[in-house]
Amino acid sequence: MSGTPARTAADTATSDVVCLGESMVTFLPSQPGRLADVPSFGRGIGGAESNVACALAKAGHRAAWVSRVGADGFGDHLVDAISAYGVDTSAVRRDPARPTGIYFRTATDRAADVHEVAYYRAGSAASAMSPANVPREALLAGRVLHLSGITAALSADCLALLRELTAPRPGRPLVSFDVNHRPGLWRGGDASPDVLLDLARGADLVFVGEDEAQEAWGVAGAEAIRAALPEPAVLVVKRGADGATVFSRLRPGAGSSAAPGADSVTDVPALRVDVVAPVGAGDAFAAGFLSATLRGLPVRDRARHGHLMAAAVLTVPGDLTDPPARDRADHLAALDDAAWGRLRLGPGWTGDDTEVRST
């Protein structure tokens, strides 16, 4: 009918967030030390995008994970484990010819020189994802489509899929992109970190760390990163222990003197955390920020929810944990700046009966 508005992704969404990417079975060390010296490993799951989906599902959102796994026991374990978090895995496809990826890692911080990761993912089922074999209707079924630069590095077909999903088109979901630069995955040629910049420019919401922007693109500082990425409506620059800077494009309203396209810049300090294991914080931060975005919270509170979700993961041994209850997180995110700055979070702080410390 003439004059009927076009249906948007939000009008037809069956999920709040759809996350696309490879998840692998992770073997976690029983003790610190070199991989050559660790006597045994415990089994877990690992994958940036599935981590985000699991955290969002635990936070009460409708989350879906789209990927490919092998027709093997490790694939069974991944689908079962991710489903157990409340994530919709109905669009995960099995590949009878390729295996599920696995990896081993040391217990140290990923940024430390002694950190080791041994990937066994070459030729994995997920690396064969392409525009031809990933169910398009599932990818477009959420209010938000969350992607990661890790997927782009897996194969030429995976890169083609991400190029297609970040290309502008009417009615697409809000596209969230975590740069997630992993130097070990890039082998030159078309598969180089430079493509991450192009993909990020096509997204609506981008997460990037200052350190990875420097390493991938030679760009230093939040303002310079924004200059290199002017297109996304929201750019979140993660600055480690210094917090996060959020650039959000202003939409001038009545009486506003702001020019169209001008940025609002919000600096949000990080929390002081007694870290148990320094893994999974970036994915958790993205999940917290997306959760608050879905709820329409102010930019400051979106970043604070990101910090709180990251603190929940940092205070447990693994990559995933239950987030704080929503009312508890909302209370902490609403603190004044002085009270926020006094918080110190340690193991067990997410429990309903656990007192949060201030210093």
Side-chain angles (χ1 to χ4, degrees), residues 118-133:
Y119 289 109
Y120 298 89
R121 73 196 307 178
S124 69
S127 70
M129 290 189 296
S130 75
N133 64 20

PDB file of all heavy atoms in Angstrom, residues 118-133:
ATOM      1  N   ALA A 118      47.761 -22.395  21.355  1.00  0.00           N
ATOM      2  CA  ALA A 118      47.972 -23.351  20.271  1.00  0.00           C
ATOM      3  C   ALA A 118      46.616 -23.644  19.635  1.00  0.00           C
ATOM      4  O   ALA A 118      45.764 -24.314  20.238  1.00  0.00           O
ATOM      5  CB  ALA A 118      48.614 -24.626  20.803  1.00  0.00           C
ATOM      6  N   TYR A 119      46.397 -23.100  18.446  1.00  0.00           N
ATOM      7  CA  TYR A 119      45.131 -23.280  17.739  1.00  0.00           C
ATOM      8  C   TYR A 119      45.199 -24.497  16.815  1.00  0.00           C
ATOM      9  O   TYR A 119      46.190 -24.708  16.108  1.00  0.00           O
ATOM     10  CB  TYR A 119      44.813 -22.053  16.882  1.00  0.00           C
ATOM     11  CG  TYR A 119      44.414 -20.812  17.651  1.00  0.00           C
ATOM     12  CD1 TYR A 119      45.267 -19.717  17.721  1.00  0.00           C
ATOM     13  CD2 TYR A 119      43.177 -20.743  18.283  1.00  0.00           C
ATOM     14  CE1 TYR A 119      44.893 -18.578  18.422  1.00  0.00           C
ATOM     15  CE2 TYR A 119      42.799 -19.598  18.983  1.00  0.00           C
ATOM     16  CZ  TYR A 119      43.670 -18.525  19.047  1.00  0.00           C
ATOM     17  OH  TYR A 119      43.304 -17.399  19.736  1.00  0.00           O
ATOM     18  N   TYR A 120      44.114 -25.244  16.810  1.00  0.00           N
ATOM     19  CA  TYR A 120      43.927 -26.315  15.842  1.00  0.00           C
ATOM     20  C   TYR A 120      42.580 -26.045  15.162  1.00  0.00           C
ATOM     21  O   TYR A 120      41.590 -26.721  15.412  1.00  0.00           O
ATOM     22  CB  TYR A 120      43.970 -27.676  16.537  1.00  0.00           C
ATOM     23  CG  TYR A 120      45.305 -27.925  17.198  1.00  0.00           C
ATOM     24  CD1 TYR A 120      45.531 -27.526  18.512  1.00  0.00           C
ATOM     25  CD2 TYR A 120      46.354 -28.515  16.494  1.00  0.00           C
ATOM     26  CE1 TYR A 120      46.775 -27.730  19.115  1.00  0.00           C
ATOM     27  CE2 TYR A 120      47.596 -28.712  17.087  1.00  0.00           C
ATOM     28  CZ  TYR A 120      47.797 -28.313  18.396  1.00  0.00           C
ATOM     29  OH  TYR A 120      49.033 -28.499  18.984  1.00  0.00           O
ATOM     30  N   ARG A 121      42.608 -25.012  14.312  1.00  0.00           N
ATOM     31  CA  ARG A 121      41.369 -24.550  13.698  1.00  0.00           C
ATOM     32  C   ARG A 121      41.474 -24.447  12.183  1.00  0.00           C
ATOM     33  O   ARG A 121      40.478 -24.156  11.510  1.00  0.00           O
ATOM     34  CB  ARG A 121      40.969 -23.192  14.283  1.00  0.00           C
ATOM     35  CG  ARG A 121      41.834 -22.038  13.805  1.00  0.00           C
ATOM     36  CD  ARG A 121      41.727 -20.780  14.622  1.00  0.00           C
ATOM     37  NE  ARG A 121      40.397 -20.275  14.839  1.00  0.00           N
ATOM     38  CZ  ARG A 121      40.143 -19.180  15.576  1.00  0.00           C
ATOM     39  NH1 ARG A 121      41.151 -18.509  16.132  1.00  0.00           N
ATOM     40  NH2 ARG A 121      38.909 -18.768  15.749  1.00  0.00           N
ATOM     41  N   ALA A 122      42.662 -24.632  11.615  1.00  0.00           N
ATOM     42  CA  ALA A 122      42.806 -24.555  10.161  1.00  0.00           C
ATOM     43  C   ALA A 122      41.906 -25.605   9.501  1.00  0.00           C
ATOM     44  O   ALA A 122      41.906 -26.778   9.892  1.00  0.00           O
ATOM     45  CB  ALA A 122      44.258 -24.783   9.757  1.00  0.00           C
ATOM     46  N   GLY A 123      41.123 -25.181   8.538  1.00  0.00           N
ATOM     47  CA  GLY A 123      40.209 -26.095   7.867  1.00  0.00           C
ATOM     48  C   GLY A 123      39.010 -26.493   8.689  1.00  0.00           C
ATOM     49  O   GLY A 123      38.323 -27.487   8.395  1.00  0.00           O
ATOM     50  N   SER A 124      38.717 -25.720   9.737  1.00  0.00           N
ATOM     51  CA  SER A 124      37.579 -26.051  10.599  1.00  0.00           C
ATOM     52  C   SER A 124      36.259 -25.811   9.890  1.00  0.00           C
ATOM     53  O   SER A 124      36.190 -25.135   8.853  1.00  0.00           O
ATOM     54  CB  SER A 124      37.620 -25.209  11.870  1.00  0.00           C
ATOM     55  OG  SER A 124      37.345 -23.841  11.559  1.00  0.00           O
ATOM     56  N   ALA A 125      35.202 -26.358  10.468  1.00  0.00           N
ATOM     57  CA  ALA A 125      33.867 -26.169   9.901  1.00  0.00           C
ATOM     58  C   ALA A 125      33.500 -24.690   9.826  1.00  0.00           C
ATOM     59  O   ALA A 125      32.942 -24.225   8.824  1.00  0.00           O
ATOM     60  CB  ALA A 125      32.841 -26.928  10.740  1.00  0.00           C
ATOM     61  N   ALA A 126      33.840 -23.935  10.869  1.00  0.00           N
ATOM     62  CA  ALA A 126      33.483 -22.512  10.881  1.00  0.00           C
ATOM     63  C   ALA A 126      34.252 -21.716   9.844  1.00  0.00           C
ATOM     64  O   ALA A 126      33.743 -20.722   9.309  1.00  0.00           O
ATOM     65  CB  ALA A 126      33.711 -21.926  12.271  1.00  0.00           C
ATOM     66  N   SER A 127      35.483 -22.139   9.527  1.00  0.00           N
ATOM     67  CA  SER A 127      36.262 -21.396   8.532  1.00  0.00           C
ATOM     68  C   SER A 127      35.661 -21.509   7.138  1.00  0.00           C
ATOM     69  O   SER A 127      36.035 -20.756   6.242  1.00  0.00           O
ATOM     70  CB  SER A 127      37.712 -21.885   8.520  1.00  0.00           C
ATOM     71  OG  SER A 127      37.816 -23.187   7.974  1.00  0.00           O
ATOM     72  N   ALA A 128      34.727 -22.444   6.960  1.00  0.00           N
ATOM     73  CA  ALA A 128      34.063 -22.603   5.663  1.00  0.00           C
ATOM     74  C   ALA A 128      32.784 -21.780   5.556  1.00  0.00           C
ATOM     75  O   ALA A 128      32.061 -21.888   4.547  1.00  0.00           O
ATOM     76  CB  ALA A 128      33.749 -24.077   5.423  1.00  0.00           C
ATOM     77  N   MET A 129      32.468 -20.965   6.573  1.00  0.00           N
ATOM     78  CA  MET A 129      31.281 -20.108   6.469  1.00  0.00           C
ATOM     79  C   MET A 129      31.431 -19.160   5.282  1.00  0.00           C
ATOM     80  O   MET A 129      32.521 -18.634   5.025  1.00  0.00           O
ATOM     81  CB  MET A 129      31.078 -19.299   7.752  1.00  0.00           C
ATOM     82  CG  MET A 129      30.653 -20.130   8.936  1.00  0.00           C
ATOM     83  SD  MET A 129      30.173 -19.112  10.386  1.00  0.00           S
ATOM     84  CE  MET A 129      31.733 -18.307  10.782  1.00  0.00           C
ATOM     85  N   SER A 130      30.354 -18.951   4.570  1.00  0.00           N
ATOM     86  CA  SER A 130      30.382 -18.100   3.378  1.00  0.00           C
ATOM     87  C   SER A 130      29.000 -17.513   3.152  1.00  0.00           C
ATOM     88  O   SER A 130      28.013 -17.947   3.766  1.00  0.00           O
ATOM     89  CB  SER A 130      30.800 -18.918   2.153  1.00  0.00           C
ATOM     90  OG  SER A 130      29.737 -19.755   1.723  1.00  0.00           O
ATOM     91  N   PRO A 131      28.877 -16.534   2.240  1.00  0.00           N
ATOM     92  CA  PRO A 131      27.547 -16.002   1.934  1.00  0.00           C
ATOM     93  C   PRO A 131      26.587 -17.060   1.410  1.00  0.00           C
ATOM     94  O   PRO A 131      25.371 -16.910   1.522  1.00  0.00           O
ATOM     95  CB  PRO A 131      27.843 -14.949   0.852  1.00  0.00           C
ATOM     96  CG  PRO A 131      29.254 -14.531   1.097  1.00  0.00           C
ATOM     97  CD  PRO A 131      29.952 -15.782   1.554  1.00  0.00           C
ATOM     98  N   ALA A 132      27.123 -18.169   0.893  1.00  0.00           N
ATOM     99  CA  ALA A 132      26.269 -19.189   0.286  1.00  0.00           C
ATOM    100  C   ALA A 132      25.725 -20.200   1.287  1.00  0.00           C
ATOM    101  O   ALA A 132      24.699 -20.844   1.011  1.00  0.00           O
ATOM    102  CB  ALA A 132      27.042 -19.927  -0.805  1.00  0.00           C
ATOM    103  N   ASN A 133      26.382 -20.375   2.445  1.00  0.00           N
ATOM    104  CA  ASN A 133      25.961 -21.473   3.320  1.00  0.00           C
ATOM    105  C   ASN A 133      25.540 -21.055   4.728  1.00  0.00           C
ATOM    106  O   ASN A 133      25.274 -21.911   5.566  1.00  0.00           O
ATOM    107  CB  ASN A 133      27.048 -22.548   3.401  1.00  0.00           C
ATOM    108  CG  ASN A 133      28.343 -22.047   4.034  1.00  0.00           C
ATOM    109  OD1 ASN A 133      28.365 -21.044   4.746  1.00  0.00           O
ATOM    110  ND2 ASN A 133      29.439 -22.762   3.770  1.00  0.00           N
TER     111      ASN A 133
END
